[in-house]
């Protein structure tokens, strides 16, 4: 089993990244930081006769990195009660990939994957972050990706996640599960 972590945060060493690294500590993962790539927003041409135009950005290179992996961990801070803009931008572009002749089996390949979500936010994230988790469930459901679970943590200022014992415990449990799955 191979794992890719897709980081959607904008703050280096932010709370979500810290929690995700705790969950994957000692586990071999490919880390993909969306902030390090240029991902243009989608120009919706799903129903246009000419289809989607070629886009000169880094999006396809990210798709090429995630497709070989069996398990994807989507790591995003909760911004305004949802995933970050860059994470949403990345997922929005899947509509283009679904129609891209270079990726004829994209949906089939995604249907063979498992996924987790790790998210941290302020303002009662254990309750107010649940609609975002449902959004990911719907996305994975559409793609056929098996949704394995999620971890939500509470933190606003840098390092706050270290005070959320429930999230830290959940991350340690996920790490144990990942290690068991790999053995």
């Amino acid at each position: 089993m191979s794992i890719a972590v897709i980081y959607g945060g904008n703050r280096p060493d932010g709370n979500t990244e810290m929690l995700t690294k705790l969950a994957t500590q000692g586990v071999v993962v490919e880390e993909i930081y969306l902030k390090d790539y240029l991902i243009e927003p989608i120009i919706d041409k799903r129903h246009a006769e000419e289809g989607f135009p070629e886009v000169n950005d880094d999006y396809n290179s990210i798709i090429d990195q995630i497709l070989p992996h069996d398990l994807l961990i989507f790591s995003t801070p909760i911004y305004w009660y949802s995933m970050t803009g860059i994470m949403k931008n990345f997922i929005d572009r899947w509509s283009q990939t679904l129609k891209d002749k270079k990726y004829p089996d994209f949906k089939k390949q995604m249907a063979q994957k498992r996924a987790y979500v790790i998210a941290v936010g302020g303002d009662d994230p254990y309750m107010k972050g649940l609609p975002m988790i449902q959004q990911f469930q719907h996305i994975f459901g559409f793609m056929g990706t098996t949704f394995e679970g999620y971890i939500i943590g509470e933190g606003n200022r840098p390092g706050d996640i270290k005070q959320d014992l429930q999230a830290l415990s959940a991350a340690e449990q996920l790490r144990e599960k990942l290690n068991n799955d790999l053995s």
Side-chain angles (χ1 to χ4, degrees):
M1 175 178 75
S2 64
I3 303 169
V5 178
I6 304 159
Y7 289 100
N10 296 310
R11 181 191 304 163
D13 302 316
N15 288 306
T16 308
E17 185 178 335
M18 289 172 122
L19 187 60
T20 303
K21 286 190 182 285
L22 178 61
T24 59
Q25 184 178 12
V27 178
V28 176
V29 299
E30 180 172 1
E31 296 182 314
I32 301 162
Y33 291 86
L34 295 179
K35 68 180 176 53
D36 294 340
Y37 296 89
L38 173 63
I39 306 169
E40 294 290 343
I42 191 165
I43 298 172
D44 190 352
K45 297 284 191 164
R46 287 175 295 161
H47 306 290
E49 200 172 303
E50 72 276 10
F52 286 97
E54 194 66 32
V55 180
N56 186 19
D57 67 0
D58 301 321
Y59 168 78
N60 282 351
S61 70
I62 301 167
I63 292 298
D64 292 339
Q65 288 177 72
I66 70 167
L67 284 177
H69 295 286
D70 307 300
L71 179 68
L72 305 175
I73 299 174
F74 292 81
S75 174
T76 180
I78 302 172
Y79 283 3
W80 289 102
Y81 312 100
S82 189
M83 65 185 79
T84 60
I86 195 161
M87 180 71 77
K88 183 68 169 75
N89 218 21
F90 172 66
I91 292 172
D92 281 349
R93 289 284 295 280
W94 291 5
S95 294
Q96 185 172 341
T97 309
L98 287 167
K99 302 270 188 180
D100 193 330
K101 288 177 178 55
K102 288 183 284 203
Y103 301 97
D105 297 324
F106 179 60
K107 190 169 185 178
K108 184 178 177 183
Q109 289 176 287
M110 291 299 286
Q112 296 169 355
K113 299 187 184 320
R114 299 174 14 223
Y116 285 93
V117 175
I118 299 177
V120 177
D123 192 22
D124 194 16
Y126 283 98
M127 178 59 72
K128 295 179 181 177
L130 291 178
M132 181 195 70
I133 297 300
Q134 286 181 316
Q135 182 181 22
F136 273 107
Q137 285 177 306
H138 292 308
I139 291 164
F140 300 147
F142 179 83
M143 297 301 287
T145 303
T146 303
F147 182 51
E148 294 286 325
Y150 66 92
I151 300 172
I152 291 180
E154 185 165 8
N156 189 23
R157 299 184 59 75
D160 279 357
I161 193 60
K162 295 175 186 173
Q163 307 307 313
D164 186 341
L165 301 181
Q166 181 178 337
L168 297 176
S169 175
E172 290 172 5
Q173 290 173 22
L174 178 55
R175 182 177 66 233
E176 287 176 26
K177 182 176 182 352
L178 295 175
N179 275 316
N180 287 337
D181 288 352
L182 290 169
S183 4

